[in-house]
Amino acid sequence: MKKFLALIAMAVFSVSAAAHGPTPQKIDDRIIIKAEPAKAWAMIKDYENVQKWLPTVKSVKVEKKGADTFRTLTLKNGGKIKERIKSIDDANMKIKFEVLEGGPFSNYNPYISVKKGPNAGESEVRFFHRFYRQFPNNPPIPEGQDEAAAIQFITDIYLPGNENLKKLLESSK
Amino acid sequence: MYFAHHVFLYVLLSLMLSACTQSNLAYITNQGDNTVSVIDTKQQKVIETIVVGKAPVGIANAADLHRVFVTNVEDQNVTVIDTNTNKVIHHIPVSGSPVGIAASPDNQTLYVADWYSNRILAIDPITYAIKQKVIVEKAPAGIIVSPDNQRLYITARDSNEIVILDTQDLSTQQRIAVGKHPFGITLSIDGSMLYSANVYDNTVSLINTQTWEQTILAVDDHPYCAVASPDNQTLYVTNTLDESVSVIDIPSKKIIATVTVGETPEGIDYDTENDLVYVANWGENNVTVINAKTNKVINTIPVGDKPRAFGQFIKHKK
């Protein structure tokens, strides 16, 4: 089913990818989890161990350079993604980062936040992605650098996170 | 005859009445679903949704002509909307990547910034003829015309500067270095002050248009657009990656409030009739309404997908 949906998404997006222009893209991925927000946030803010809940990640390496914190994800598919942690806001349960390199995107600024869910003891986790395609200029766009490629990459690498987070948090007592 | 006379009077009266009671209208471009949401700012609700071209971003209005103009970046054209009927009356082909757009205050010229081709186009808003094209600095984004129609101010995003053109011949008068990646630009109503949002620096530039004296102020993450209150005492800046609006006291150059709005706020404009600030939230698909006297959010209005509303999107009734 998931594959089928992804195929539909691809078909829809390839139409818009044939067009031109500086159009920011959005994936607003939200999930309700039957776990206290504090519990979900504890797992998410632990940015050095994202492999615990993001199933596409094999290992994480964190480096600090001056005031900046960088994180390199080694993926199970062999790829590497470099990110910069922009801020961790405990009061609002929100972590912001910037994905610098490792995929066909540009100006990619995601965040993850945790809010109270609709019922007591529930959380809403929001993994929000704002990005542009990799190719910065007018068409023709080289193959693999269009909006569809960016959306596919992010869908494959980051979107399994929320589902897995739900599974982990709801199964642990 | 008597009857016909009455009908005529009645029609005339109701036409006059509708013209008088018409509120200010906010035209919100929805880049994700190729529409414009029209908000009546008195009722604070969407009264019309207009289908335009692909990926609409910029908006300009020419109140004397009863027209608004929308740049469709992926269709490479400009949609012309008649604001009396809110119907599309024309599409002006421009080629390239039209993003920023502004009408001259005298409503004689429409200026379009072609982002990727580093061009500015001057278009006749009545005949739709392209009057002139000129190459400027890299990635022209926000544009605005001085109240006296003499100068055209442009943020050149990839050159990190504001370019000032003489509207007579589109020659460059001046270039001013600002912060990194300036995007949105606005003027005080009297034209004495110019403001740019410098995206990568998380700053805004406040520039005196006579002396070119500049103050750079820090705001929050990735500021995009700004608008000044009609008395030029307060500047409102959208911080796209902080879901907030920074409120700056212009005389003291201090941030006096930070208002939480929706996800990824972009376009911002001031409704002078009701003293409200309208903010288009790209990430949330809605518009936040802020009371400019209290800096409190008083309403949230759902609009189309990925609203950007880049430019002066509120049409003030004449």
Side-chain angles (χ1 to χ4, degrees):
Chain A
M1 185 61 190
K2 235 179 170 172
K3 266 204 174 128
F4 178 62
L5 284 177
L7 276 175
I8 291 179
M10 279 298 287
V12 170
F13 289 126
S14 38
V15 173
S16 66
H20 319 133
T23 308
Q25 305 294 310
K26 164 169 76 177
I27 299 176
D28 189 355
D29 185 22
R30 306 188 208 193
I31 198 162
I32 305 293
I33 297 176
K34 291 191 181 75
E36 289 293 342
K39 211 173 140 191
W41 174 238
M43 195 165 247
I44 289 162
K45 76 175 275 193
D46 183 16
Y47 66 90
E48 298 189 31
N49 291 297
V50 70
Q51 79 285 354
K52 283 185 180 169
W53 62 273
L54 188 56
T56 49
V57 176
K58 195 167 105 186
S59 62
V60 180
K61 195 173 118 201
V62 172
E63 287 166 283
K64 300 209 188 251
K65 279 184 195 155
D68 287 327
T69 302
F70 297 96
R71 174 171 82 174
T72 303
L73 311 178
T74 299
L75 304 175
K76 286 180 182 158
N77 70 11
K80 276 191 196 301
I81 293 176
K82 191 170 181 188
E83 301 169 335
R84 181 172 71 90
I85 307 295
K86 289 175 70 175
S87 63
I88 298 173
D89 180 349
D90 264 314
N92 293 306
M93 294 189 284
K94 183 172 182 177
I95 179 168
K96 285 165 61 174
F97 51 107
E98 184 180 4
V99 188
L100 301 166
E101 51 196 67
F105 43 72
S106 62
N107 288 279
Y108 180 13
N109 288 278
Y111 76 76
I112 311 171
S113 70
V114 183
K115 286 199 164 91
K116 280 185 192 157
N119 299 304
E122 290 183 349
S123 310
E124 186 190 47
V125 173
R126 186 175 191 180
F127 201 160
F128 187 90
H129 310 255
R130 180 184 163 98
F131 54 97
Y132 291 80
R133 69 169 182 239
Q134 183 179 13
F135 188 64
N137 299 316
N138 259 347
I141 303 168
E143 209 185 319
Q145 297 188 22
D146 59 6
E147 280 86 358
I151 289 164
Q152 189 62 54
F153 183 87
I154 292 162
T155 302
D156 289 346
I157 301 302
Y158 288 104
L159 264 48
N162 271 359
E163 280 291 340
N164 199 45
L165 198 63
K166 181 181 172 76
K167 210 158 67 182
L168 288 167
L169 287 165
E170 291 185 354
S171 64
S172 71
K173 288 281 181 288
Chain B
M1 183 60 199
Y2 177 79
F3 174 74
H5 183 68
H6 262 73
V7 169
F8 173 73
L9 265 181
Y10 175 77
V11 169
L12 191 72
L13 264 172
S14 42
L15 272 176
M16 283 167 67
L17 209 64
S18 75
C20 292
T21 52
Q22 199 192 17
S23 307
N24 290 346
L25 299 175
Y27 287 82
I28 307 295
T29 53
N30 302 306
Q31 193 167 21
D33 61 16
N34 309 328
T35 63
V36 169
S37 301
V38 185
I39 297 171
D40 179 315
T41 63
K42 191 155 246 158
Q43 301 178 57
Q44 294 178 21
K45 65 174 197 188
V46 174
I47 56 163
E48 200 100 46
T49 301
I50 306 166
V51 176
V52 292
K54 258 194 212 162
V57 184
I59 181 96
N61 77 77
D64 294 344
L65 306 175
H66 304 289
R67 284 173 184 186
V68 295
F69 301 88
V70 175
T71 52
N72 303 302
V73 67
E74 293 187 4
D75 260 352
Q76 308 189 29
N77 63 18
V78 173
T79 297
V80 186
I81 296 168
D82 180 329
T83 55
N84 286 331
T85 59
N86 283 327
K87 299 271 184 258
V88 171
I89 54 173
H90 195 73
H91 296 286
I92 312 170
V94 292
S95 79
S97 318
V99 176
I101 186 164
S104 60
D106 63 8
N107 287 197
Q108 294 299 301
T109 311
L110 190 63
Y111 296 98
V112 175
D114 175 358
W115 173 281
Y116 281 145
S117 320
N118 306 327
R119 290 188 310 172
I120 298 295
L121 289 83
I123 299 170
D124 186 311
I126 297 161
T127 66
Y128 312 128
I130 295 177
K131 300 197 279 191
Q132 206 178 340
K133 297 175 193 174
V134 64
I135 300 287
V136 292
E137 300 309 310
K138 281 184 201 149
I143 56 177
I144 193 163
V145 187
S146 62
D148 63 4
N149 301 297
Q150 297 301 304
R151 289 173 175 169
L152 177 61
Y153 299 98
I154 305 152
T155 52
R157 192 198 67 166
D158 293 354
S159 303
N160 306 320
E161 60 188 6
I162 291 174
V163 179
I164 298 141
L165 304 187
D166 183 337
T167 54
Q168 292 304 310
D169 55 3
L170 298 187
S171 62
T172 298
Q173 276 190 344
Q174 187 95 20
R175 291 163 54 182
I176 301 167
V178 290
K180 267 194 210 156
H181 280 219
F183 189 68
I185 193 167
T186 193
L187 281 167
S188 58
I189 282 184
D190 64 3
S192 65
M193 290 292 292
L194 178 68
Y195 307 99
S196 71
N198 310 317
V199 184
Y200 280 9
D201 267 2
N202 303 334
T203 62
V204 286
S205 290
L206 291 68
I207 300 163
N208 181 311
T209 57
Q210 298 306 311
T211 63
W212 305 122
E213 185 198 341
Q214 179 178 186
T215 303
I216 293 182
L217 287 182
V219 287
D220 286 321
D221 201 355
H222 278 60
Y224 250 50
C225 297
V227 71
S229 60
D231 60 8
N232 198 32
Q233 294 295 297
T234 317
L235 186 70
Y236 302 85
V237 183
T238 52
N239 301 303
T240 48
L241 296 185
D242 264 324
E243 56 200 83
S244 69
V245 169
S246 296
V247 184
I248 297 165
D249 178 62
I250 295 170
S252 68
K253 301 188 168 84
K254 288 207 160 55
I255 292 178
I256 53 169
T258 301
V259 184
T260 299
V261 293
E263 200 53 61
T264 332
E266 293 206 3
I268 187 164
D269 205 357
Y270 196 102
D271 170 19
T272 55
E273 184 186 26
N274 305 297
D275 278 313
L276 301 173
V277 175
Y278 275 71
V279 181
N281 302 309
W282 178 88
E284 206 84 57
N285 299 344
N286 60 25
V287 167
T288 298
V289 185
I290 301 169
N291 179 329
K293 298 294 178 203
T294 61
N295 293 325
K296 300 272 185 253
V297 172
I298 59 160
N299 205 355
T300 303
I301 306 166
V303 293
D305 187 39
K306 303 193 187 87
R308 302 199 71 186
F310 184 51
Q312 294 179 291
F313 61 79
I314 295 180
K315 177 197 161 276
H316 289 89
K317 63 182 177 190
K318 278 266 167 177

